[in-house]
Amino acid sequence: MNPTVSPLGKDLVGLEELTADQIRSILDTAEPFKEISERRIKKVPVLRGKTIVNLFMEPSTRTRISFEFAEKRLSADTVNIAATGSSVVKGETLVDTARNLEAMRIDMVVIRHGSSGAARFLAERIPSNVVNAGDGAHEHPTQALLDLLTIRDQLGKLSGLKVCIVGDILHSRVARSNIFGLLKLGAEVAVCGPMTLLPAGIDALGVRVFRRVEEAIEWADALNVLRLQLERMSAGFVPSLREYNRFYGISSPRLEAAGRELLILHPGPMNRGVEIDSDVADGPHSVILRQVTNGVAIRMAVLYLLAGGMPEQAEAAKQGEVA
Ligand code: CP
């Protein structure tokens, strides 16, 4: 592997900055990596000798653990740092934290941060590769990549498909990354939610806007249902959770009324009974746990490519045939 010629460049900050070919190459590279997680011994030497720091300044279950599994299964050495328990609570800045880590000779930083732009800010200040694991309401590129891979797995393509993102679009980095990625790969994209949870001018991104969830369900091949991000809401964006569920909740009767099958995605964590009912989340059209499984392969692919791996050599690399 040659880190100076990564097909993705130095960092993965967002899908807005990637070309359609780069996004496709991540999805294609993830395909051979899926099999590693199905082995009895889930380990290959692809990133042996690399040191990766997972710097999570916001809570996370799926993304942090998924990155850690991806790193360990590729044989990287990993260190996890959370805001609590680090010198951030004593007032140390993000850049000082990162520079101190670099002084210990690291290769990559995976960062989750509450501020939009934190990943780009760090990427411009340290020579290590930086991977954005979610920054404020800006982007969550690996979540969108695993969503795209899951839709492609289930429906066989992305180009020409109709995908509607339902819920709290205003606060959602997942929505933004999905919109960029899906449009670049030729899907039609819509958003649906109360006016208070749709960013002004969202249609300028090239998406349709549905006000009624019944219309969205009628139109879409797949629904990506988003959580109401109550922790990011400083004002009353919805009158009550019960009312939100009544008007926008994804329920079996609403899906049955469409008279055809729709794929149901959710990035998690879910508010069951608010944006999605339990019988839908656990039902036959839900691919929510497949998204989680695909997340490990997507993160392996991103780390491999940033380390200078070539997409066409991923199959050989996982067999230990490429240095
Ligand atoms: N989808 C997602 O980012 O989940 P976590 O917050 O648990 O990482």
mmCIF file of all heavy atoms in Angstrom, residues 56 59-64 112 133 140 143 173-174 267-269 299, ligand 1:
data_model
loop_
_atom_site.group_PDB
_atom_site.id
_atom_site.type_symbol
_atom_site.label_atom_id
_atom_site.label_comp_id
_atom_site.label_asym_id
_atom_site.label_seq_id
_atom_site.Cartn_x
_atom_site.Cartn_y
_atom_site.Cartn_z
ATOM 1 N N PHE A 56 -13.727 10.330 20.202
ATOM 2 C CA PHE A 56 -15.190 10.506 20.207
ATOM 3 C C PHE A 56 -15.593 11.505 21.285
ATOM 4 O O PHE A 56 -15.610 11.179 22.469
ATOM 5 C CB PHE A 56 -15.890 9.155 20.367
ATOM 6 C CG PHE A 56 -16.049 8.452 19.038
ATOM 7 C CD1 PHE A 56 -14.948 8.018 18.336
ATOM 8 C CD2 PHE A 56 -17.308 8.267 18.484
ATOM 9 C CE1 PHE A 56 -15.074 7.408 17.088
ATOM 10 C CE2 PHE A 56 -17.454 7.659 17.240
ATOM 11 C CZ PHE A 56 -16.340 7.234 16.537
ATOM 12 N N PRO A 59 -21.434 11.125 22.343
ATOM 13 C CA PRO A 59 -21.788 9.715 22.536
ATOM 14 C C PRO A 59 -21.975 8.978 21.219
ATOM 15 O O PRO A 59 -22.367 9.572 20.216
ATOM 16 C CB PRO A 59 -23.122 9.779 23.297
ATOM 17 C CG PRO A 59 -23.209 11.160 23.842
ATOM 18 C CD PRO A 59 -22.419 12.042 22.937
ATOM 19 N N SER A 60 -21.694 7.681 21.237
ATOM 20 C CA SER A 60 -21.891 6.834 20.058
ATOM 21 C C SER A 60 -21.862 5.378 20.495
ATOM 22 O O SER A 60 -21.050 5.007 21.346
ATOM 23 C CB SER A 60 -20.762 7.074 19.054
ATOM 24 O OG SER A 60 -20.757 6.088 18.052
ATOM 25 N N THR A 61 -22.762 4.588 19.928
ATOM 26 C CA THR A 61 -22.662 3.137 20.107
ATOM 27 C C THR A 61 -22.195 2.518 18.794
ATOM 28 O O THR A 61 -21.087 1.980 18.702
ATOM 29 C CB THR A 61 -24.030 2.541 20.511
ATOM 30 O OG1 THR A 61 -24.412 3.120 21.749
ATOM 31 C CG2 THR A 61 -23.950 1.028 20.667
ATOM 32 N N ARG A 62 -23.033 2.613 17.759
ATOM 33 C CA ARG A 62 -22.761 1.944 16.487
ATOM 34 C C ARG A 62 -21.456 2.393 15.845
ATOM 35 O O ARG A 62 -20.608 1.567 15.484
ATOM 36 C CB ARG A 62 -23.902 2.220 15.488
ATOM 37 C CG ARG A 62 -25.091 1.326 15.614
ATOM 38 C CD ARG A 62 -26.333 2.102 15.246
ATOM 39 N NE ARG A 62 -26.524 3.121 16.256
ATOM 40 C CZ ARG A 62 -27.226 2.908 17.376
ATOM 41 N NH1 ARG A 62 -27.847 1.788 17.540
ATOM 42 N NH2 ARG A 62 -27.313 3.839 18.303
ATOM 43 N N THR A 63 -21.280 3.701 15.653
ATOM 44 C CA THR A 63 -20.152 4.187 14.855
ATOM 45 C C THR A 63 -18.822 3.881 15.539
ATOM 46 O O THR A 63 -17.882 3.399 14.909
ATOM 47 C CB THR A 63 -20.306 5.704 14.606
ATOM 48 O OG1 THR A 63 -21.634 5.950 14.161
ATOM 49 C CG2 THR A 63 -19.317 6.190 13.582
ATOM 50 N N ARG A 64 -18.740 4.152 16.834
ATOM 51 C CA ARG A 64 -17.462 3.942 17.537
ATOM 52 C C ARG A 64 -17.082 2.464 17.541
ATOM 53 O O ARG A 64 -15.955 2.092 17.227
ATOM 54 C CB ARG A 64 -17.552 4.465 18.980
ATOM 55 C CG ARG A 64 -16.227 4.378 19.720
ATOM 56 C CD ARG A 64 -16.318 4.949 21.113
ATOM 57 N NE ARG A 64 -17.235 4.222 21.971
ATOM 58 C CZ ARG A 64 -16.989 3.029 22.509
ATOM 59 N NH1 ARG A 64 -15.846 2.400 22.258
ATOM 60 N NH2 ARG A 64 -17.874 2.455 23.288
ATOM 61 N N ARG A 112 -15.446 11.998 16.072
ATOM 62 C CA ARG A 112 -16.844 12.433 16.198
ATOM 63 C C ARG A 112 -16.846 13.656 17.098
ATOM 64 O O ARG A 112 -16.213 13.658 18.166
ATOM 65 C CB ARG A 112 -17.723 11.353 16.797
ATOM 66 C CG ARG A 112 -19.085 11.937 17.192
ATOM 67 C CD ARG A 112 -20.122 10.933 17.450
ATOM 68 N NE ARG A 112 -20.521 10.243 16.243
ATOM 69 C CZ ARG A 112 -21.627 9.494 16.164
ATOM 70 N NH1 ARG A 112 -22.409 9.365 17.205
ATOM 71 N NH2 ARG A 112 -21.936 8.878 15.048
ATOM 72 N N ALA A 133 -16.437 10.882 11.687
ATOM 73 C CA ALA A 133 -17.431 9.916 12.186
ATOM 74 C C ALA A 133 -18.699 10.639 12.643
ATOM 75 O O ALA A 133 -19.456 10.110 13.457
ATOM 76 C CB ALA A 133 -16.830 9.107 13.332
ATOM 77 N N HIS A 140 -21.985 12.838 8.034
ATOM 78 C CA HIS A 140 -21.666 11.549 8.670
ATOM 79 C C HIS A 140 -21.424 10.573 7.498
ATOM 80 O O HIS A 140 -22.267 9.742 7.175
ATOM 81 C CB HIS A 140 -22.848 11.118 9.534
ATOM 82 C CG HIS A 140 -22.582 9.961 10.455
ATOM 83 N ND1 HIS A 140 -21.459 9.155 10.366
ATOM 84 C CD2 HIS A 140 -23.307 9.458 11.489
ATOM 85 C CE1 HIS A 140 -21.518 8.224 11.307
ATOM 86 N NE2 HIS A 140 -22.616 8.398 11.999
ATOM 87 N N GLN A 143 -21.821 6.679 7.627
ATOM 88 C CA GLN A 143 -23.208 6.241 7.796
ATOM 89 C C GLN A 143 -23.920 6.237 6.444
ATOM 90 O O GLN A 143 -24.608 5.273 6.094
ATOM 91 C CB GLN A 143 -23.954 7.164 8.771
ATOM 92 C CG GLN A 143 -25.426 6.820 8.944
ATOM 93 C CD GLN A 143 -25.641 5.465 9.608
ATOM 94 O OE1 GLN A 143 -25.028 5.178 10.629
ATOM 95 N NE2 GLN A 143 -26.501 4.625 9.033
ATOM 96 N N ARG A 173 -26.904 15.254 10.141
ATOM 97 C CA ARG A 173 -25.720 15.051 9.302
ATOM 98 C C ARG A 173 -25.900 13.821 8.410
ATOM 99 O O ARG A 173 -25.344 13.752 7.320
ATOM 100 C CB ARG A 173 -24.485 14.893 10.188
ATOM 101 C CG ARG A 173 -24.631 13.837 11.280
ATOM 102 C CD ARG A 173 -23.606 14.032 12.373
ATOM 103 N NE ARG A 173 -23.717 13.093 13.455
ATOM 104 C CZ ARG A 173 -23.298 13.346 14.689
ATOM 105 N NH1 ARG A 173 -22.771 14.507 14.994
ATOM 106 N NH2 ARG A 173 -23.385 12.444 15.635
ATOM 107 N N VAL A 174 -26.697 12.860 8.885
ATOM 108 C CA VAL A 174 -26.955 11.652 8.080
ATOM 109 C C VAL A 174 -27.735 12.031 6.822
ATOM 110 O O VAL A 174 -27.445 11.542 5.723
ATOM 111 C CB VAL A 174 -27.743 10.608 8.908
ATOM 112 C CG1 VAL A 174 -28.126 9.407 8.050
ATOM 113 C CG2 VAL A 174 -26.930 10.161 10.115
ATOM 114 N N PRO A 267 -30.764 4.927 10.695
ATOM 115 C CA PRO A 267 -29.351 4.894 11.104
ATOM 116 C C PRO A 267 -29.147 4.545 12.567
ATOM 117 O O PRO A 267 -28.038 4.191 12.967
ATOM 118 C CB PRO A 267 -28.875 6.323 10.811
ATOM 119 C CG PRO A 267 -30.110 7.164 10.864
ATOM 120 C CD PRO A 267 -31.234 6.287 10.389
ATOM 121 N N GLY A 268 -30.229 4.654 13.383
ATOM 122 C CA GLY A 268 -30.096 4.422 14.804
ATOM 123 C C GLY A 268 -29.399 5.590 15.485
ATOM 124 O O GLY A 268 -28.716 6.364 14.815
ATOM 125 N N PRO A 269 -29.538 5.760 16.778
ATOM 126 C CA PRO A 269 -30.457 5.006 17.635
ATOM 127 C C PRO A 269 -31.911 5.400 17.363
ATOM 128 O O PRO A 269 -32.181 6.532 16.983
ATOM 129 C CB PRO A 269 -30.035 5.429 19.059
ATOM 130 C CG PRO A 269 -29.371 6.769 18.888
ATOM 131 C CD PRO A 269 -28.762 6.790 17.531
ATOM 132 N N ARG A 299 -16.388 0.676 6.836
ATOM 133 C CA ARG A 299 -15.299 1.357 7.570
ATOM 134 C C ARG A 299 -13.959 0.679 7.282
ATOM 135 O O ARG A 299 -12.930 1.340 7.192
ATOM 136 C CB ARG A 299 -15.656 1.433 9.053
ATOM 137 C CG ARG A 299 -16.758 2.485 9.222
ATOM 138 C CD ARG A 299 -17.545 2.463 10.441
ATOM 139 N NE ARG A 299 -18.542 3.533 10.371
ATOM 140 C CZ ARG A 299 -19.832 3.412 10.681
ATOM 141 N NH1 ARG A 299 -20.309 2.251 11.124
ATOM 142 N NH2 ARG A 299 -20.651 4.426 10.566
HETATM 143 N N1 CP B 1 -25.846 5.934 13.456
HETATM 144 C C1 CP B 1 -25.041 6.421 14.409
HETATM 145 O O1 CP B 1 -24.218 7.318 14.168
HETATM 146 O O2 CP B 1 -25.199 5.843 15.644
HETATM 147 P P1 CP B 1 -24.293 6.157 16.920
HETATM 148 O O3 CP B 1 -24.612 7.558 17.347
HETATM 149 O O4 CP B 1 -24.667 5.128 17.947
HETATM 150 O O5 CP B 1 -22.853 6.051 16.495
#
